Amino acid sequence: MSKYHKGSFHETVVSMTSNDDVILSVNEFPFKTTLSLAPLISYWENKVKHDPGCNAERIQELTEMLQGNSELMGQIQDTAIIEKHIETVDLLMEDIFPSALWENDLKAVSVPFQFKSFYASPKLEEMNLMVGDNYAEKLNLDQKTLLFRITLQAYTIILDKFYNANFKIDEPFVFVVKDKFTGLSRHYKVDVDLKFMQVKAKGEIKPLNAQQINFMINRYNDLDLWMQVLPPDNFEFTGFAIYDLTDVTMEETISSLRFDLLDRDSVSTEEGFLDLQQKLRVLFGLPGIKLGFASYPNLREFDTSYARRIWNGFVLTQDCDLTIKDLAGSIYEPVVKKGHTIVVEDLNVLPNPTCIEQQLVQAGLRNLIIAPLQYEGSIIGLMELASPIPGELNALSTIRLKEILPLFALAMNRSLDELRSSIQSIIKEKYTAIHPIVEWRFTQAAINLLEKMENNTSSEIEPIVFSEIFPLYGSSDVRSSATERNKAIQGDLLDQLVLAKEVILAAKDNLNLTILDELLYRIDQFSQSIVNELSSGDEATILAFLRSDIEPLFDHFLQKAPASQHTVQAYRSAINNGYKAVYNKRKAYEESLYMINETISSFLDREEEKAQQTFPHYFEKYKTDGLEYNIYIGASLLHNADFQPIYLKNMRIWQLMLTCEIGRRIQKLRADLKLPLEITQLILAHSDPISIKYRLDEKKFDIDGANNIRYEIIKKRIDKATIRNSDERLTQPGKIAIVYTQQKEAEEYVRYLDFLRSEGYIEGAIEYLDVEELQGVQGLKALRVSINFKPKRHNIDAGDELLHIAQKAILN
């Protein structure tokens, strides 16, 4: 049995491990259970007294049948007695098994906490679900897990009745059985009604206060502790349980599909593919259907044999030589070109089959559904379901298919992203990443170098400089990211110190060593030192102490102090990760920061790609604790292109709307973050043209010329700027700060902001602010506006509306 320090019943912090290890020493249900119809008989006796609408003659008949029948009135040791008095039992069970539902119900009654019925509806009896002793296997559980769940359920009933503690476990049992006709798995959820079951105490009830009950509940997986506090011999369950089964095959299968498709290998390995195919057979109830899917073959980057490793279609296979042209005129064309779902009742009766349809028939397929896989409005692939039996899949099948298509699209997109990432990593390793807009200039420089080498002149490559271009800079920064990161580290360290303290306390029960008191003192000292503030070096010092002074003692504790087993296991489970330390709060911070960056980055990429179509420009972004980006636009960047000032104005107002949309998305995202971080947003307005030069040593563009250095200095220092004569930061959550140096810049942006207010992007008055002097920078001013988070007039996810709005503003 587990032992706990006497004082540990009083606790304000509970440290939960990441796993659910069960602590249960017994091998069979520890409570005494007896079958009794007495609660049901009492039900009928009360009904005739209090229900004037009941059938009194029927109840009188039941009473007469029960008179003198002692075998049914008391505890029933042998369920054969039920069959012996089946007529009386039929009458007793009338309200539980209404005659109108008798033939179709899946219902049974059994001894408390057993799944072997002694009375069941005909349909359930025919399924043989609740007969025999292998019900753990039918419930798809191992014996220990099943025993743990029913034992915990018994204790919840005891706490509810004797201690008024409403503690319920909402984890239903689900039977899994093979359909005798199709051979496919079917799932039946069990609803348990304990109306006719009673729990009785043997002797005096042991008093428990709220703290003790909460202590047990917080350690729900340690049933050895529960049996120590509330011994099972003190209680007995009598009566019977009612089991009502519901077919949940579709829900369980979709849930399982969703789980499988989160696995990165679900659509790229044979094992994952076959598992998905089997689940679809269960979902549609058709054991002979086949699954196929492939990425959209018109994607240029994936028209390679390497990319086709996720092609597992009926004709679009890894070793096929088909291209998009081969699909012309086939049943696949409307799927990949228009996004239609195609249902073919019988391939043999198609009037003009192409070679593709002929290949399908040769593969033994007759009946076919082809559906597009769409992600964020784009077709990224297709999914196929086929049968050798004509008409087995039809238009009604597409209704069920719609529920799972988004799941397959998500998995397909993830696989495509992984392919893109692997290809890009090779490119970045072997080559210099060059923006497509300026690729022409690098090609020209290379040609010039080749000509120089042929003429035996200088072999140095010429400098690549773009002059008279206009910069746009923006940043979305996570507010107080360093502080939040420190809080996360602080919280994890405190949790780990608490776990270490519990180990030492448990060991002290058996080891009377003064050194353990000294270790407890040091743990408390460390906890006190970081509870309010985390200093530099605290993390390394505390982890070094735990790893050198505490963790090496665990094996000895397990030998000499068995009571420490649970706490040692809890500690080791908590640090069972790549960091070998508690990493829960830091993980929450990192995941939240990642989601913010990914949301901003993916949205920015999408909208920037649209903006390229309006006018080509140079774009680069980089992530910090947030995201920053540079945009350069001008005639010198382009090869024989016409640049007009209207494109620059359009880009500036587009940047403002883009910034508002980023703010809205992060505001909406916060509800889904484990740590609700906030962002601040900043734009630097700069109206004078600059020059940029490609640095061969750093493989990137940088500001060129002494006259342009001030712009770069401002860009690097304004993120921490404050308002003049105050401590207030210029950047604030929910607002956009626009920094400028010239009055003409303010006048231009005020005009844009007035338009944005009319379109519902911002609200409130414009703030005109002076910025506190920065090192090497004076005279900065700023405009600041509040983003309107209310429902807006425009939905830019529907298309290129953001650009259209910007163009309308410029033209007006």
Side-chain angles (χ1 to χ4, degrees):
M1 292 294 182
S2 300
K3 293 183 180 179
Y4 291 85
H5 191 268
K6 184 177 179 181
S8 65
F9 278 116
H10 184 74
E11 56 183 355
T12 56
V13 177
V14 178
S15 181
M16 304 293 291
T17 61
S18 57
N19 54 29
D20 291 322
D21 289 339
V22 171
I23 301 176
L24 181 60
S25 300
V26 298
N27 295 319
E28 58 183 20
F29 189 61
F31 294 93
K32 182 180 179 181
T33 60
T34 56
L35 171 61
S36 173
L37 299 181
L40 180 57
I41 293 171
S42 298
Y43 161 80
W44 284 108
E45 291 172 347
N46 290 329
K47 186 168 185 176
V48 74
K49 292 178 182 178
H50 302 103
D51 185 1
C54 71
N55 189 336
E57 293 182 1
R58 193 68 166 158
I59 296 177
Q60 179 61 34
E61 179 186 352
L62 176 60
T63 303
E64 292 173 357
M65 296 174 72
L66 287 171
Q67 286 177 352
N69 191 339
S70 60
E71 290 184 311
L72 290 180
M73 298 295 288
Q75 293 184 354
I76 301 173
Q77 304 298 332
D78 186 357
T79 55
I81 293 174
I82 301 295
E83 188 62 32
K84 179 180 176 181
H85 302 283
I86 192 61
E87 292 184 2
T88 304
V89 175
D90 284 340
L91 194 55
L92 277 170
M93 296 288 179
E94 272 193 353
D95 274 14
I96 299 176
F97 295 82
S99 57
L101 305 176
W102 174 250
E103 296 294 335
N104 294 318
D105 260 358
L106 295 174
K107 188 178 290 188
V109 291
S110 76
V111 179
F113 302 104
Q114 295 184 18
F115 289 90
K116 184 162 63 174
S117 67
F118 63 85
Y119 189 90
S121 61
K123 191 172 181 179
L124 186 56
E125 281 190 337
E126 183 184 352
M127 293 170 62
N128 290 322
L129 270 182
M130 303 187 69
V131 296
D133 296 322
N134 63 334
Y135 44 81
E137 180 181 342
K138 293 178 182 178
L139 289 168
N140 203 23
L141 297 171
D142 59 79
Q143 289 285 355
K144 184 177 180 181
T145 301
L146 177 59
L147 180 59
F148 167 78
R149 288 182 57 180
I150 62 176
T151 304
L152 182 60
Q153 185 183 52
Y155 271 117
T156 65
I157 297 169
I158 292 171
L159 287 182
D160 184 34
K161 177 166 183 179
F162 298 109
Y163 299 97
N164 199 28
N166 188 9
F167 169 48
K168 297 186 181 298
I169 305 295
D170 188 17
E171 188 177 7
F173 291 102
V174 178
F175 278 106
V176 182
V177 63
K178 295 289 184 181
D179 188 288
K180 65 180 181 180
F181 297 109
T182 65
L184 299 173
S185 297
R186 299 206 67 79
H187 302 258
Y188 295 92
K189 185 181 75 171
V190 182
D191 290 320
V192 184
D193 187 344
L194 302 177
K195 177 180 180 180
F196 296 105
M197 188 189 73
Q198 300 172 349
V199 57
K200 300 177 182 179
K202 301 176 183 179
E204 187 177 348
I205 300 298
K206 179 180 180 179
L208 292 176
N209 59 36
Q211 289 177 351
Q212 291 172 312
I213 292 173
N214 284 335
F215 183 87
M216 293 167 61
I217 290 174
N218 290 334
R219 289 155 182 82
Y220 68 89
N221 60 323
D222 186 355
L223 291 186
D224 282 358
L225 167 67
W226 287 62
M227 289 191 290
Q228 177 183 334
V229 178
L230 296 172
D233 291 341
N234 293 349
F235 302 93
E236 178 182 355
F237 291 89
T238 183
F240 60 88
I242 304 170
Y243 296 101
D244 197 351
L245 280 67
T246 305
D247 191 335
V248 291
T249 302
M250 185 172 179
E251 293 86 344
E252 286 288 320
T253 305
I254 291 178
S255 176
S256 181
L257 277 170
R258 184 179 290 110
F259 180 82
D260 287 350
L261 289 170
L262 289 174
D263 187 346
R264 62 185 297 170
D265 295 329
S266 59
V267 298
S268 58
T269 65
E270 182 179 3
E271 182 181 0
F273 171 81
L274 293 176
D275 191 45
L276 292 174
Q277 179 175 260
Q278 184 62 21
K279 285 184 169 62
L280 288 175
R281 289 171 174 175
V282 172
L283 184 65
F284 286 89
L286 301 173
I289 63 173
K290 295 184 177 181
L291 167 68
F293 48 72
S295 59
Y296 182 36
N298 198 33
L299 291 174
R300 179 186 61 187
E301 58 196 312
F302 297 115
D303 198 14
T304 64
S305 59
Y306 170 70
R308 294 185 181 192
R309 65 188 181 93
I310 60 172
W311 281 24
N312 213 336
F314 302 141
V315 291
L316 298 176
T317 60
Q318 297 180 24
D319 55 356
C320 76
D321 56 359
L322 294 174
T323 66
I324 190 63
K325 295 179 181 179
D326 298 314
L327 302 183
S330 74
I331 56 178
Y332 286 84
E333 186 176 31
V335 181
V336 297
K337 291 290 184 66
K338 301 179 180 180
H340 294 172
T341 297
I342 298 299
V343 181
V344 182
E345 183 177 1
D346 189 353
L347 287 164
N348 270 358
V349 298
L350 288 180
N352 299 303
T354 67
C355 64
I356 288 182
E357 285 85 20
Q358 292 171 6
Q359 288 182 45
L360 292 170
V361 173
Q362 290 172 5
L365 304 178
R366 298 281 297 277
N367 181 210
L368 184 68
I369 294 179
I370 313 172
L373 295 176
Q374 297 183 327
Y375 185 81
E376 294 187 346
S378 299
I379 300 174
I380 63 171
L382 54 88
M383 176 179 169
E384 307 157 303
L385 284 179
S387 169
I389 303 173
E392 193 169 51
L393 294 165
N394 51 48
L396 290 177
S397 304
T398 63
I399 298 175
R400 186 164 296 179
L401 191 63
K402 288 179 181 178
E403 297 188 51
I404 60 173
L405 283 177
L407 303 177
F408 277 87
L410 187 64
M412 176 69 74
N413 184 71
R414 185 179 64 248
S415 294
L416 295 180
D417 279 346
E418 289 172 0
L419 283 173
R420 291 189 183 101
S421 297
S422 61
I423 294 170
Q424 286 299 319
S425 66
I426 294 174
I427 293 174
K428 291 177 181 178
E429 178 184 355
K430 301 296 183 182
Y431 308 101
T432 300
I434 300 173
H435 197 283
I437 295 303
V438 296
E439 188 175 355
W440 66 272
R441 182 66 184 87
F442 286 84
T443 302
Q444 186 181 73
I447 293 173
N448 293 341
L449 178 61
L450 289 174
E451 290 179 349
K452 291 178 183 179
M453 294 173 65
E454 289 177 357
N455 297 326
N456 295 320
T457 56
S458 173
S459 60
E460 293 185 4
I461 193 166
E462 64 192 59
I464 296 179
V465 180
F466 295 101
S467 305
E468 294 293 311
I469 61 172
F470 296 90
L472 292 90
Y473 169 79
S475 71
S476 299
D477 186 46
V478 174
R479 170 52 52 95
S480 304
S481 58
T483 301
E484 294 295 341
R485 184 185 290 107
N486 278 345
K487 286 181 180 178
I489 296 171
Q490 179 186 28
D492 283 337
L493 288 174
L494 286 171
D495 286 347
Q496 193 165 345
L497 287 169
V498 168
L499 289 171
K501 185 173 183 178
E502 289 185 355
V503 173
I504 302 300
L505 286 172
K508 274 174 60 63
D509 287 346
N510 295 97
L511 294 173
N512 188 18
L513 299 175
T514 305
I515 187 63
L516 299 183
D517 293 316
E518 191 270 343
L519 290 175
L520 288 173
Y521 170 77
R522 293 178 68 190
I523 289 173
D524 288 340
Q525 288 294 104
F526 280 125
S527 298
Q528 289 296 326
S529 69
I530 66 170
V531 72
N532 294 319
E533 184 178 1
L534 186 71
S535 302
S536 175
D538 281 349
E539 180 182 11
T541 301
I542 291 173
L543 289 178
F545 160 69
L546 292 170
R547 289 167 182 168
S548 62
D549 291 25
I550 302 295
E551 294 173 16
L553 301 174
F554 288 174
D555 290 337
H556 182 69
F557 287 166
L558 292 175
Q559 292 178 2
K560 300 296 184 180
S564 65
Q565 179 180 357
H566 176 74
T567 54
V568 168
Q569 184 180 21
Y571 185 99
R572 285 175 169 172
S573 297
I575 66 168
N576 185 23
N577 52 55
Y579 304 96
K580 299 302 178 184
V582 174
Y583 211 81
N584 299 325
K585 293 179 175 61
R586 275 171 285 189
K587 183 179 179 183
Y589 167 80
E590 290 170 358
E591 288 180 356
S592 299
L593 182 64
Y594 173 80
M595 288 182 67
I596 288 175
N597 280 338
E598 284 302 302
T599 299
I600 298 173
S601 181
S602 60
F603 175 71
L604 189 59
D605 285 343
R606 189 190 77 180
E607 294 303 315
E608 196 277 328
E609 185 178 350
K610 296 177 185 177
Q612 290 284 0
Q613 299 171 10
T614 300
F615 193 84
H617 55 275
Y618 185 91
F619 172 81
E620 64 180 2
K621 65 177 181 180
Y622 38 99
K623 295 179 183 178
T624 54
D625 284 348
L627 188 140
E628 301 177 45
Y629 62 88
N630 292 309
I631 297 175
Y632 301 117
I633 184 172
S636 65
L637 289 169
L638 309 175
H639 189 51
N640 300 325
D642 180 28
F643 172 77
Q644 297 296 330
I646 191 172
Y647 295 116
L648 174 60
K649 295 178 180 179
N650 187 74
M651 187 65 71
R652 285 172 176 165
I653 196 169
W654 169 83
Q655 182 189 23
L656 283 169
M657 288 187 291
L658 184 79
T659 307
C660 291
E661 288 291 347
I662 289 174
R664 283 172 166 166
R665 276 163 167 71
I666 301 306
Q667 181 70 13
K668 183 178 180 181
L669 176 68
R670 290 185 69 214
D672 298 325
L673 297 177
K674 293 181 179 178
L675 191 64
L677 301 172
E678 294 183 299
I679 65 165
T680 61
Q681 300 200 86
L682 175 73
I683 289 174
L684 176 58
H686 191 83
S687 57
D688 296 333
I690 62 172
S691 298
I692 58 174
K693 181 178 181 180
Y694 189 78
R695 308 290 182 188
L696 287 173
D697 52 346
E698 298 180 6
K699 299 292 189 294
K700 69 172 188 176
F701 280 102
D702 204 355
I703 301 299
D704 186 50
N707 294 334
N708 299 319
I709 294 300
R710 186 170 186 267
Y711 169 79
E712 193 67 20
I713 293 174
I714 294 174
K715 191 173 68 174
K716 290 181 178 179
R717 295 180 180 172
I718 55 176
D719 63 320
K720 298 294 190 295
T722 59
I723 298 173
R724 184 174 296 177
N725 299 325
S726 77
D727 294 329
E728 181 184 347
R729 288 276 293 273
L730 173 63
T731 55
Q732 294 292 331
K735 297 187 177 185
I736 302 172
I738 306 166
V739 177
Y740 65 94
T741 57
Q742 302 181 47
Q743 183 59 30
K744 66 177 180 178
E745 295 165 347
E747 293 172 357
E748 179 181 356
Y749 275 85
V750 166
R751 192 173 80 243
Y752 298 155
L753 294 174
D754 286 342
F755 173 72
L756 260 63
R757 182 182 292 104
S758 71
E759 294 293 328
Y761 280 93
I762 63 173
E763 61 182 1
I766 300 174
E767 298 179 78
Y768 295 83
L769 306 170
D770 292 325
V771 180
E772 191 66 60
E773 290 187 1
L774 305 173
Q775 182 181 359
V777 181
Q778 296 85 34
L780 294 181
K781 296 179 179 296
L783 307 173
R784 194 166 69 182
V785 293
S786 297
I787 301 172
N788 182 9
F789 293 116
K790 299 174 184 176
K792 60 184 188 299
R793 291 163 50 188
H794 304 288
N795 178 14
I796 67 166
D797 292 327
D800 295 337
E801 191 171 353
L802 193 63
L803 287 167
H804 293 163
I805 298 170
Q807 291 163 3
K808 181 175 69 173
I810 300 303
L811 293 175
N812 289 342

